[in-house]
Amino acid sequence: MDVDLRKIRYFVALAEELHFGRAAERLHIAQPVLSRQIRALEDELKVQLLVRTKRATELTAAGRQLLDDARPLLASAEAARRRVVQASRGTRTFTIGFMPGITVTAAVRAFTARHPELTIELLRTSWHDQVEVLRDGRADVSIVRLPIDQQGLTIRPLFDEPRVAMLPADHRLAGKPSIRIGDLADEHLLQDPDAVPEWRDIAVELREGTAGRVPTFQSVEEKLEHVAARNGISVLPLSTASFYTRPDVVPVPIEDIGPNHVCLAWSSTRRSKVIHDFADLALDVVNGEQAAPT
């Protein structure tokens, strides 16, 4: 059976919205059209994907499985489309994603010298899209910060670095040479708790179910603005904290949490020699910087 990507795309929108009207509006189609396409998809797959009642629309077990499989499928199709468009234009572009606080200049210069025929583009990513830019083809490689969903990716470790707590300058812990993660148990974390599992284990607000009183934020700039406003705290890699310095926010080392692991990642389906060339150069640059005298 051939899979119709348009129907899959419609299904994903509906599965994420769980509301036919909102999904149709998001897709810029009429609601009856969406309903017909979903029924046609169910007929093709010979399964029921959704249960629709007067009160709610819910995914069946088959629907949940299709949603898990559909997202990488659509991302892979989009990545192929991007590469085909590039090839049709006669351009050879190599895009490198990187997280805040990470400097890629030395690796890019070395790579450009080795591959002058390529146009190098840089793409700043965030905690929430550092993997998605690889899955949908926006980046050929990406320098990521673990933990990430590594399914379908090749991962090459680059280096580790300590993490620090970002606190308001007048915070009770701001003047300490170091703290322990338990000292932050009563604080609100202004980022995805999965990024700091050590805090998740001891957080009072997660035990009491009050974590939603202030939302989490994606960009470093947003997090630091809210830290300065005393809306919460953030835990950042040292390089990120050093890059985004400001007088009203203070970094404090945390003694008892592990380092942030920085890695190079790319799609496991990519067999390009150019990708491996960049990976080797990036590791050479890191090793050279670590061996250099301070």
Side-chain angles (χ1 to χ4, degrees), residues 7-8 13 21 25 32 75 80 109 116 126 138 141 144 148 218 221 242 262-264 275 281-282 286:
K7 292 190 183 76
I8 295 295
E25 183 178 356
R109 285 178 175 173
S126 71
R138 279 177 285 167
V141 298
V144 301
I148 60 171
Q218 296 188 19
E221 294 88 348
S242 301
V262 178
C263 301
L264 187 67
I275 289 177
L281 280 172
V286 169

Side-chain angles (χ1 to χ4, degrees), residues 22-211:
R22 289 195 299 269
E25 183 178 356
R26 170 175 156 183
L27 292 165
H28 305 292
I29 62 174
Q31 185 172 330
V33 174
L34 176 60
S35 297
R36 287 197 298 270
Q37 292 294 316
I38 296 301
R39 284 197 300 270
L41 180 61
E42 290 179 322
D43 290 342
E44 291 172 6
L45 296 175
K46 296 180 173 57
V47 297
Q48 185 176 7
L49 299 171
L50 301 114
V51 177
R52 187 179 185 184
T53 68
K54 291 182 178 180
R55 291 188 174 183
T57 299
E58 297 179 353
L59 292 174
T60 64
R64 290 192 294 272
Q65 183 62 58
L66 180 58
L67 181 60
D68 288 342
D69 292 335
R71 284 169 171 151
L73 176 65
L74 292 176
S76 179
E78 175 61 17
R81 185 196 68 80
R82 289 175 187 270
R83 289 194 290 270
V84 168
V85 169
Q86 279 190 8
S88 71
R89 293 171 178 169
T91 59
R92 292 195 63 190
T93 302
F94 190 85
T95 302
I96 303 162
F98 65 99
M99 285 285 281
I102 295 175
T103 302
V104 296
T105 307
V108 169
R109 285 178 175 173
F111 186 67
T112 301
R114 182 175 293 186
H115 291 279
E117 76 283 4
L118 295 178
T119 298
I120 310 302
E121 296 185 352
L122 300 176
L123 177 64
R124 182 185 183 277
T125 62
S126 71
W127 166 258
H128 293 273
D129 69 358
Q130 59 176 334
V131 168
E132 293 310 309
V133 299
L134 296 171
R135 300 200 196 282
D136 66 17
R138 279 177 285 167
D140 294 285
V141 298
S142 189
I143 300 177
V144 301
R145 296 188 184 276
L146 301 187
I148 60 171
D149 176 7
Q150 299 186 24
Q151 183 177 1
L153 300 178
T154 298
I155 305 294
R156 181 172 294 188
L158 292 177
F159 61 90
D160 294 343
E161 61 173 319
R163 291 182 287 170
V164 297
M166 305 302 290
L167 308 174
D170 58 355
H171 191 278
R172 59 186 173 83
L173 301 173
K176 292 185 173 292
S178 65
I179 60 174
R180 300 181 67 83
I181 193 65
D183 297 328
L184 303 174
D186 293 328
E187 304 289 343
H188 172 68
L189 190 69
L190 294 163
Q191 64 203 91
D192 190 332
D194 289 343
V196 194
E198 300 92 344
W199 177 87
R200 174 186 280 281
D201 292 340
I202 53 91
V204 171
E205 68 175 15
L206 293 182
R207 292 201 305 270
E208 296 180 348
T210 59

